[in-house]
Amino acid sequence: MNDFLLMGDLAPSQTAELLQLAHTIKQRPAAWSQALAGKSIALLFEKPSLRTRASFAAGINRLGGHSIYLDAANLMGVREPAKDVGANLALWHDAIVARVFSQETLTELAAASPKPVINALSDIDHPCQAMADLLTLQEQLGDLSQAHLTWVGDGNNVCHSLMLGAAQMGMGMQVVTPAGYEPAASVLAQTQQIAAQTGAVITVTHDLTALQQTDAIYTDTWFSMGQERDNNQVMHDFAPYQVNCELMKRLHAKFFMHCLPAYRGREVTTEVLDGPQSLILQQAENRMHAQNAILVKLLQGASHE
Ligand code: CP
Ligand code: NVA
């Protein structure tokens, strides 16, 4: 593993190993407190972030490393090309974590940087989120090949990463979106290719009445960062796809999931988001543990047990 740019770049065995490492680091953090000793990581964000930024900074600190934050003033392709940013940051830093408008920017950064680059969200993928979510589902349900997830709403970056992650782990998943908001055809094709190897059954539909019973329902904002969408049209198209108590009950869902930030009363009701079935804080906490496993793996940091 040289970089972590796309969820689909991981082999199923690598996803499983990373999750195992994340569990281990979470359970015995002291053993990893020097894993990144003497290392410095650049956190470069073209878009706002609470969880990703704060969890990377805290996680790197807990692994004995150091991080710096570079904000949107460094928008790549505007102040300078991504390739110059990547080549320069790699002179002083051991890895680059980047949140970008375009996946292409990550490709350019990684091509120019001899040090690992980690995707902290792009237009098409949010792999660190998916790793944290799979970790959360494992904690709640155990063997993911026996688990089932339902995605309701926009077929966006988070949906893409979860589809690929579900396929890698042999987990069942149904995706329901309004017409015109499906996941990308290329991601679905890659998902089905992986699923054919692992036995995962993954379906995509627009039909809310076609949904089967599930373990967890996941949704995300209807307006992702950087998207230009007609507000009224989106509110109209997504209205039937709100996650509420009725849908939770109808699908016998044990859990509700959301990557956050959430918009109460839009994609999810307050009752569900803040209710007892909601895993949102466990997901957020697990961002740090999942990312620490990714950092350790990429930087080959050793445990000091
Ligand atoms: N879920 C997530 O990535 O949150 P932030 O946008 O706050 O980083
Ligand atoms: N789909 C959302 C996720 C935010 C963490 C976005 O891209 O804005």
PDB file of all heavy atoms in Angstrom, residues 26-56:
ATOM      1  N   LYS A  26      -7.329   0.458  18.723  1.00  0.00           N
ATOM      2  CA  LYS A  26      -8.359   1.033  19.596  1.00  0.00           C
ATOM      3  C   LYS A  26      -8.329   0.385  20.988  1.00  0.00           C
ATOM      4  O   LYS A  26      -8.475   1.069  21.998  1.00  0.00           O
ATOM      5  CB  LYS A  26      -9.742   0.838  18.955  1.00  0.00           C
ATOM      6  CG  LYS A  26     -10.889   1.452  19.744  1.00  0.00           C
ATOM      7  CD  LYS A  26     -12.218   1.381  18.991  1.00  0.00           C
ATOM      8  CE  LYS A  26     -13.346   1.996  19.818  1.00  0.00           C
ATOM      9  NZ  LYS A  26     -14.624   2.006  19.114  1.00  0.00           N
ATOM     10  N   GLN A  27      -8.123  -0.933  20.997  1.00  0.00           N
ATOM     11  CA  GLN A  27      -8.125  -1.643  22.278  1.00  0.00           C
ATOM     12  C   GLN A  27      -6.858  -1.396  23.100  1.00  0.00           C
ATOM     13  O   GLN A  27      -6.899  -1.349  24.319  1.00  0.00           O
ATOM     14  CB  GLN A  27      -8.266  -3.146  22.037  1.00  0.00           C
ATOM     15  CG  GLN A  27      -9.705  -3.580  21.819  1.00  0.00           C
ATOM     16  CD  GLN A  27      -9.805  -4.856  20.987  1.00  0.00           C
ATOM     17  OE1 GLN A  27      -8.817  -5.582  20.832  1.00  0.00           O
ATOM     18  NE2 GLN A  27     -10.968  -5.112  20.428  1.00  0.00           N
ATOM     19  N   ARG A  28      -5.697  -1.294  22.396  1.00  0.00           N
ATOM     20  CA  ARG A  28      -4.433  -1.147  23.125  1.00  0.00           C
ATOM     21  C   ARG A  28      -3.640   0.060  22.613  1.00  0.00           C
ATOM     22  O   ARG A  28      -2.571  -0.093  22.019  1.00  0.00           O
ATOM     23  CB  ARG A  28      -3.609  -2.429  22.988  1.00  0.00           C
ATOM     24  CG  ARG A  28      -4.223  -3.577  23.815  1.00  0.00           C
ATOM     25  CD  ARG A  28      -3.425  -4.852  23.721  1.00  0.00           C
ATOM     26  NE  ARG A  28      -3.604  -5.477  22.433  1.00  0.00           N
ATOM     27  CZ  ARG A  28      -2.599  -5.862  21.631  1.00  0.00           C
ATOM     28  NH1 ARG A  28      -1.361  -5.665  21.982  1.00  0.00           N
ATOM     29  NH2 ARG A  28      -2.860  -6.450  20.484  1.00  0.00           N
ATOM     30  N   PRO A  29      -4.160   1.262  22.824  1.00  0.00           N
ATOM     31  CA  PRO A  29      -3.512   2.446  22.247  1.00  0.00           C
ATOM     32  C   PRO A  29      -2.073   2.655  22.743  1.00  0.00           C
ATOM     33  O   PRO A  29      -1.229   3.156  21.997  1.00  0.00           O
ATOM     34  CB  PRO A  29      -4.421   3.602  22.666  1.00  0.00           C
ATOM     35  CG  PRO A  29      -5.270   3.072  23.759  1.00  0.00           C
ATOM     36  CD  PRO A  29      -5.382   1.601  23.581  1.00  0.00           C
ATOM     37  N   ALA A  30      -1.797   2.261  23.986  1.00  0.00           N
ATOM     38  CA  ALA A  30      -0.458   2.514  24.539  1.00  0.00           C
ATOM     39  C   ALA A  30       0.626   1.830  23.714  1.00  0.00           C
ATOM     40  O   ALA A  30       1.742   2.338  23.577  1.00  0.00           O
ATOM     41  CB  ALA A  30      -0.402   2.037  25.994  1.00  0.00           C
ATOM     42  N   ALA A  31       0.275   0.679  23.129  1.00  0.00           N
ATOM     43  CA  ALA A  31       1.262  -0.084  22.354  1.00  0.00           C
ATOM     44  C   ALA A  31       1.638   0.649  21.059  1.00  0.00           C
ATOM     45  O   ALA A  31       2.635   0.311  20.424  1.00  0.00           O
ATOM     46  CB  ALA A  31       0.699  -1.462  22.018  1.00  0.00           C
ATOM     47  N   TRP A  32       0.841   1.629  20.677  1.00  0.00           N
ATOM     48  CA  TRP A  32       1.062   2.324  19.403  1.00  0.00           C
ATOM     49  C   TRP A  32       1.436   3.785  19.611  1.00  0.00           C
ATOM     50  O   TRP A  32       1.488   4.554  18.663  1.00  0.00           O
ATOM     51  CB  TRP A  32      -0.208   2.211  18.542  1.00  0.00           C
ATOM     52  CG  TRP A  32      -0.582   0.777  18.335  1.00  0.00           C
ATOM     53  CD1 TRP A  32      -1.373   0.012  19.142  1.00  0.00           C
ATOM     54  CD2 TRP A  32      -0.109  -0.087  17.308  1.00  0.00           C
ATOM     55  NE1 TRP A  32      -1.434  -1.271  18.666  1.00  0.00           N
ATOM     56  CE2 TRP A  32      -0.664  -1.358  17.530  1.00  0.00           C
ATOM     57  CE3 TRP A  32       0.731   0.098  16.204  1.00  0.00           C
ATOM     58  CZ2 TRP A  32      -0.411  -2.441  16.705  1.00  0.00           C
ATOM     59  CZ3 TRP A  32       0.983  -0.981  15.374  1.00  0.00           C
ATOM     60  CH2 TRP A  32       0.413  -2.233  15.633  1.00  0.00           C
ATOM     61  N   SER A  33       1.742   4.145  20.849  1.00  0.00           N
ATOM     62  CA  SER A  33       1.926   5.576  21.154  1.00  0.00           C
ATOM     63  C   SER A  33       3.187   6.176  20.532  1.00  0.00           C
ATOM     64  O   SER A  33       3.326   7.396  20.504  1.00  0.00           O
ATOM     65  CB  SER A  33       1.922   5.796  22.663  1.00  0.00           C
ATOM     66  OG  SER A  33       3.046   5.163  23.211  1.00  0.00           O
ATOM     67  N   GLN A  34       4.078   5.319  20.038  1.00  0.00           N
ATOM     68  CA  GLN A  34       5.279   5.841  19.378  1.00  0.00           C
ATOM     69  C   GLN A  34       5.351   5.435  17.905  1.00  0.00           C
ATOM     70  O   GLN A  34       6.399   5.579  17.264  1.00  0.00           O
ATOM     71  CB  GLN A  34       6.537   5.330  20.110  1.00  0.00           C
ATOM     72  CG  GLN A  34       6.652   5.827  21.548  1.00  0.00           C
ATOM     73  CD  GLN A  34       6.610   7.360  21.610  1.00  0.00           C
ATOM     74  OE1 GLN A  34       7.342   8.040  20.912  1.00  0.00           O
ATOM     75  NE2 GLN A  34       5.715   7.892  22.436  1.00  0.00           N
ATOM     76  N   ALA A  35       4.252   4.917  17.383  1.00  0.00           N
ATOM     77  CA  ALA A  35       4.271   4.382  16.012  1.00  0.00           C
ATOM     78  C   ALA A  35       4.661   5.430  14.974  1.00  0.00           C
ATOM     79  O   ALA A  35       5.275   5.104  13.960  1.00  0.00           O
ATOM     80  CB  ALA A  35       2.905   3.778  15.671  1.00  0.00           C
ATOM     81  N   LEU A  36       4.292   6.690  15.230  1.00  0.00           N
ATOM     82  CA  LEU A  36       4.649   7.747  14.274  1.00  0.00           C
ATOM     83  C   LEU A  36       5.676   8.717  14.878  1.00  0.00           C
ATOM     84  O   LEU A  36       5.758   9.885  14.462  1.00  0.00           O
ATOM     85  CB  LEU A  36       3.405   8.532  13.835  1.00  0.00           C
ATOM     86  CG  LEU A  36       2.300   7.792  13.085  1.00  0.00           C
ATOM     87  CD1 LEU A  36       1.286   8.787  12.514  1.00  0.00           C
ATOM     88  CD2 LEU A  36       2.845   6.942  11.952  1.00  0.00           C
ATOM     89  N   ALA A  37       6.453   8.241  15.839  1.00  0.00           N
ATOM     90  CA  ALA A  37       7.429   9.119  16.502  1.00  0.00           C
ATOM     91  C   ALA A  37       8.374   9.718  15.463  1.00  0.00           C
ATOM     92  O   ALA A  37       8.877   9.017  14.583  1.00  0.00           O
ATOM     93  CB  ALA A  37       8.218   8.333  17.538  1.00  0.00           C
ATOM     94  N   GLY A  38       8.574  11.021  15.558  1.00  0.00           N
ATOM     95  CA  GLY A  38       9.489  11.715  14.641  1.00  0.00           C
ATOM     96  C   GLY A  38       8.892  11.984  13.265  1.00  0.00           C
ATOM     97  O   GLY A  38       9.561  12.536  12.400  1.00  0.00           O
ATOM     98  N   LYS A  39       7.628  11.576  13.070  1.00  0.00           N
ATOM     99  CA  LYS A  39       7.016  11.763  11.739  1.00  0.00           C
ATOM    100  C   LYS A  39       6.075  12.974  11.749  1.00  0.00           C
ATOM    101  O   LYS A  39       5.466  13.312  12.768  1.00  0.00           O
ATOM    102  CB  LYS A  39       6.238  10.515  11.333  1.00  0.00           C
ATOM    103  CG  LYS A  39       7.094   9.251  11.316  1.00  0.00           C
ATOM    104  CD  LYS A  39       6.802   8.423  10.103  1.00  0.00           C
ATOM    105  CE  LYS A  39       7.410   7.050  10.177  1.00  0.00           C
ATOM    106  NZ  LYS A  39       8.801   7.002   9.749  1.00  0.00           N
ATOM    107  N   SER A  40       5.995  13.587  10.587  1.00  0.00           N
ATOM    108  CA  SER A  40       5.140  14.759  10.438  1.00  0.00           C
ATOM    109  C   SER A  40       4.181  14.549   9.264  1.00  0.00           C
ATOM    110  O   SER A  40       4.588  14.054   8.214  1.00  0.00           O
ATOM    111  CB  SER A  40       6.024  15.979  10.186  1.00  0.00           C
ATOM    112  OG  SER A  40       5.222  17.115  10.037  1.00  0.00           O
ATOM    113  N   ILE A  41       2.923  14.896   9.474  1.00  0.00           N
ATOM    114  CA  ILE A  41       1.896  14.681   8.452  1.00  0.00           C
ATOM    115  C   ILE A  41       1.250  16.027   8.100  1.00  0.00           C
ATOM    116  O   ILE A  41       0.859  16.774   9.006  1.00  0.00           O
ATOM    117  CB  ILE A  41       0.756  13.745   8.978  1.00  0.00           C
ATOM    118  CG1 ILE A  41       1.277  12.585   9.825  1.00  0.00           C
ATOM    119  CG2 ILE A  41      -0.150  13.287   7.832  1.00  0.00           C
ATOM    120  CD1 ILE A  41       1.949  11.474   9.119  1.00  0.00           C
ATOM    121  N   ALA A  42       1.129  16.298   6.812  1.00  0.00           N
ATOM    122  CA  ALA A  42       0.444  17.526   6.363  1.00  0.00           C
ATOM    123  C   ALA A  42      -1.029  17.227   6.127  1.00  0.00           C
ATOM    124  O   ALA A  42      -1.375  16.268   5.430  1.00  0.00           O
ATOM    125  CB  ALA A  42       1.083  18.034   5.083  1.00  0.00           C
ATOM    126  N   LEU A  43      -1.903  18.042   6.715  1.00  0.00           N
ATOM    127  CA  LEU A  43      -3.353  17.921   6.529  1.00  0.00           C
ATOM    128  C   LEU A  43      -3.803  19.105   5.674  1.00  0.00           C
ATOM    129  O   LEU A  43      -3.805  20.240   6.135  1.00  0.00           O
ATOM    130  CB  LEU A  43      -4.077  17.958   7.882  1.00  0.00           C
ATOM    131  CG  LEU A  43      -3.585  17.009   8.984  1.00  0.00           C
ATOM    132  CD1 LEU A  43      -4.378  17.237  10.274  1.00  0.00           C
ATOM    133  CD2 LEU A  43      -3.700  15.558   8.541  1.00  0.00           C
ATOM    134  N   LEU A  44      -4.153  18.824   4.429  1.00  0.00           N
ATOM    135  CA  LEU A  44      -4.480  19.897   3.487  1.00  0.00           C
ATOM    136  C   LEU A  44      -5.959  19.816   3.109  1.00  0.00           C
ATOM    137  O   LEU A  44      -6.402  18.825   2.527  1.00  0.00           O
ATOM    138  CB  LEU A  44      -3.605  19.736   2.240  1.00  0.00           C
ATOM    139  CG  LEU A  44      -3.426  20.952   1.334  1.00  0.00           C
ATOM    140  CD1 LEU A  44      -2.389  20.651   0.262  1.00  0.00           C
ATOM    141  CD2 LEU A  44      -4.686  21.432   0.698  1.00  0.00           C
ATOM    142  N   PHE A  45      -6.719  20.825   3.451  1.00  0.00           N
ATOM    143  CA  PHE A  45      -8.176  20.785   3.254  1.00  0.00           C
ATOM    144  C   PHE A  45      -8.628  21.915   2.344  1.00  0.00           C
ATOM    145  O   PHE A  45      -8.557  23.080   2.709  1.00  0.00           O
ATOM    146  CB  PHE A  45      -8.899  20.870   4.608  1.00  0.00           C
ATOM    147  CG  PHE A  45      -8.881  19.565   5.364  1.00  0.00           C
ATOM    148  CD1 PHE A  45      -7.699  19.036   5.861  1.00  0.00           C
ATOM    149  CD2 PHE A  45     -10.054  18.849   5.556  1.00  0.00           C
ATOM    150  CE1 PHE A  45      -7.678  17.819   6.531  1.00  0.00           C
ATOM    151  CE2 PHE A  45     -10.050  17.625   6.237  1.00  0.00           C
ATOM    152  CZ  PHE A  45      -8.857  17.116   6.719  1.00  0.00           C
ATOM    153  N   GLU A  46      -9.145  21.544   1.165  1.00  0.00           N
ATOM    154  CA  GLU A  46      -9.736  22.544   0.258  1.00  0.00           C
ATOM    155  C   GLU A  46     -11.180  22.867   0.648  1.00  0.00           C
ATOM    156  O   GLU A  46     -11.751  23.818   0.138  1.00  0.00           O
ATOM    157  CB  GLU A  46      -9.734  22.011  -1.177  1.00  0.00           C
ATOM    158  CG  GLU A  46      -8.352  21.842  -1.783  1.00  0.00           C
ATOM    159  CD  GLU A  46      -8.416  21.446  -3.255  1.00  0.00           C
ATOM    160  OE1 GLU A  46      -9.431  20.843  -3.692  1.00  0.00           O
ATOM    161  OE2 GLU A  46      -7.462  21.728  -3.970  1.00  0.00           O
ATOM    162  N   LYS A  47     -11.780  22.025   1.500  1.00  0.00           N
ATOM    163  CA  LYS A  47     -13.176  22.226   1.914  1.00  0.00           C
ATOM    164  C   LYS A  47     -13.235  22.172   3.441  1.00  0.00           C
ATOM    165  O   LYS A  47     -12.334  21.616   4.064  1.00  0.00           O
ATOM    166  CB  LYS A  47     -14.069  21.098   1.387  1.00  0.00           C
ATOM    167  CG  LYS A  47     -14.089  20.880  -0.097  1.00  0.00           C
ATOM    168  CD  LYS A  47     -15.071  19.730  -0.396  1.00  0.00           C
ATOM    169  CE  LYS A  47     -14.917  19.197  -1.787  1.00  0.00           C
ATOM    170  NZ  LYS A  47     -15.844  18.098  -2.068  1.00  0.00           N
ATOM    171  N   PRO A  48     -14.329  22.659   4.039  1.00  0.00           N
ATOM    172  CA  PRO A  48     -14.449  22.617   5.503  1.00  0.00           C
ATOM    173  C   PRO A  48     -14.469  21.187   6.051  1.00  0.00           C
ATOM    174  O   PRO A  48     -14.809  20.245   5.324  1.00  0.00           O
ATOM    175  CB  PRO A  48     -15.806  23.274   5.780  1.00  0.00           C
ATOM    176  CG  PRO A  48     -16.221  23.927   4.521  1.00  0.00           C
ATOM    177  CD  PRO A  48     -15.507  23.255   3.398  1.00  0.00           C
ATOM    178  N   SER A  49     -14.124  21.048   7.312  1.00  0.00           N
ATOM    179  CA  SER A  49     -14.180  19.747   7.989  1.00  0.00           C
ATOM    180  C   SER A  49     -14.166  19.950   9.490  1.00  0.00           C
ATOM    181  O   SER A  49     -13.432  20.788   9.998  1.00  0.00           O
ATOM    182  CB  SER A  49     -12.974  18.896   7.592  1.00  0.00           C
ATOM    183  OG  SER A  49     -12.887  17.752   8.419  1.00  0.00           O
ATOM    184  N   LEU A  50     -14.952  19.175  10.193  1.00  0.00           N
ATOM    185  CA  LEU A  50     -14.826  19.085  11.650  1.00  0.00           C
ATOM    186  C   LEU A  50     -14.183  17.750  11.992  1.00  0.00           C
ATOM    187  O   LEU A  50     -13.059  17.664  12.476  1.00  0.00           O
ATOM    188  CB  LEU A  50     -16.192  19.195  12.332  1.00  0.00           C
ATOM    189  CG  LEU A  50     -16.091  18.994  13.846  1.00  0.00           C
ATOM    190  CD1 LEU A  50     -15.637  20.261  14.533  1.00  0.00           C
ATOM    191  CD2 LEU A  50     -17.417  18.525  14.439  1.00  0.00           C
ATOM    192  N   ARG A  51     -14.921  16.669  11.722  1.00  0.00           N
ATOM    193  CA  ARG A  51     -14.490  15.331  12.125  1.00  0.00           C
ATOM    194  C   ARG A  51     -13.176  14.890  11.503  1.00  0.00           C
ATOM    195  O   ARG A  51     -12.291  14.384  12.197  1.00  0.00           O
ATOM    196  CB  ARG A  51     -15.564  14.280  11.778  1.00  0.00           C
ATOM    197  CG  ARG A  51     -16.700  14.196  12.768  1.00  0.00           C
ATOM    198  CD  ARG A  51     -17.981  13.817  12.063  1.00  0.00           C
ATOM    199  NE  ARG A  51     -18.369  14.907  11.198  1.00  0.00           N
ATOM    200  CZ  ARG A  51     -19.069  15.970  11.617  1.00  0.00           C
ATOM    201  NH1 ARG A  51     -19.514  16.019  12.839  1.00  0.00           N
ATOM    202  NH2 ARG A  51     -19.357  16.978  10.802  1.00  0.00           N
ATOM    203  N   THR A  52     -13.041  15.041  10.199  1.00  0.00           N
ATOM    204  CA  THR A  52     -11.864  14.503   9.529  1.00  0.00           C
ATOM    205  C   THR A  52     -10.610  15.230  10.005  1.00  0.00           C
ATOM    206  O   THR A  52      -9.608  14.600  10.364  1.00  0.00           O
ATOM    207  CB  THR A  52     -12.023  14.614   7.996  1.00  0.00           C
ATOM    208  OG1 THR A  52     -13.300  14.073   7.650  1.00  0.00           O
ATOM    209  CG2 THR A  52     -10.929  13.866   7.278  1.00  0.00           C
ATOM    210  N   ARG A  53     -10.703  16.540  10.032  1.00  0.00           N
ATOM    211  CA  ARG A  53      -9.547  17.321  10.465  1.00  0.00           C
ATOM    212  C   ARG A  53      -9.187  17.025  11.923  1.00  0.00           C
ATOM    213  O   ARG A  53      -8.038  16.731  12.264  1.00  0.00           O
ATOM    214  CB  ARG A  53      -9.850  18.819  10.309  1.00  0.00           C
ATOM    215  CG  ARG A  53      -8.736  19.668  10.825  1.00  0.00           C
ATOM    216  CD  ARG A  53      -9.076  21.140  10.792  1.00  0.00           C
ATOM    217  NE  ARG A  53      -7.978  21.895  11.399  1.00  0.00           N
ATOM    218  CZ  ARG A  53      -7.983  23.211  11.558  1.00  0.00           C
ATOM    219  NH1 ARG A  53      -9.002  23.915  11.147  1.00  0.00           N
ATOM    220  NH2 ARG A  53      -6.960  23.812  12.123  1.00  0.00           N
ATOM    221  N   ALA A  54     -10.201  17.086  12.791  1.00  0.00           N
ATOM    222  CA  ALA A  54      -9.937  16.937  14.227  1.00  0.00           C
ATOM    223  C   ALA A  54      -9.517  15.513  14.580  1.00  0.00           C
ATOM    224  O   ALA A  54      -8.671  15.296  15.457  1.00  0.00           O
ATOM    225  CB  ALA A  54     -11.183  17.340  15.022  1.00  0.00           C
ATOM    226  N   SER A  55     -10.086  14.520  13.888  1.00  0.00           N
ATOM    227  CA  SER A  55      -9.736  13.128  14.213  1.00  0.00           C
ATOM    228  C   SER A  55      -8.352  12.766  13.672  1.00  0.00           C
ATOM    229  O   SER A  55      -7.609  12.023  14.325  1.00  0.00           O
ATOM    230  CB  SER A  55     -10.799  12.153  13.689  1.00  0.00           C
ATOM    231  OG  SER A  55     -10.941  12.248  12.291  1.00  0.00           O
ATOM    232  N   PHE A  56      -7.976  13.286  12.523  1.00  0.00           N
ATOM    233  CA  PHE A  56      -6.605  13.046  12.049  1.00  0.00           C
ATOM    234  C   PHE A  56      -5.598  13.708  12.998  1.00  0.00           C
ATOM    235  O   PHE A  56      -4.592  13.094  13.379  1.00  0.00           O
ATOM    236  CB  PHE A  56      -6.402  13.554  10.611  1.00  0.00           C
ATOM    237  CG  PHE A  56      -6.561  12.480   9.571  1.00  0.00           C
ATOM    238  CD1 PHE A  56      -7.658  12.475   8.726  1.00  0.00           C
ATOM    239  CD2 PHE A  56      -5.614  11.470   9.423  1.00  0.00           C
ATOM    240  CE1 PHE A  56      -7.820  11.470   7.766  1.00  0.00           C
ATOM    241  CE2 PHE A  56      -5.767  10.468   8.465  1.00  0.00           C
ATOM    242  CZ  PHE A  56      -6.862  10.469   7.624  1.00  0.00           C
TER     243      PHE A  56
END
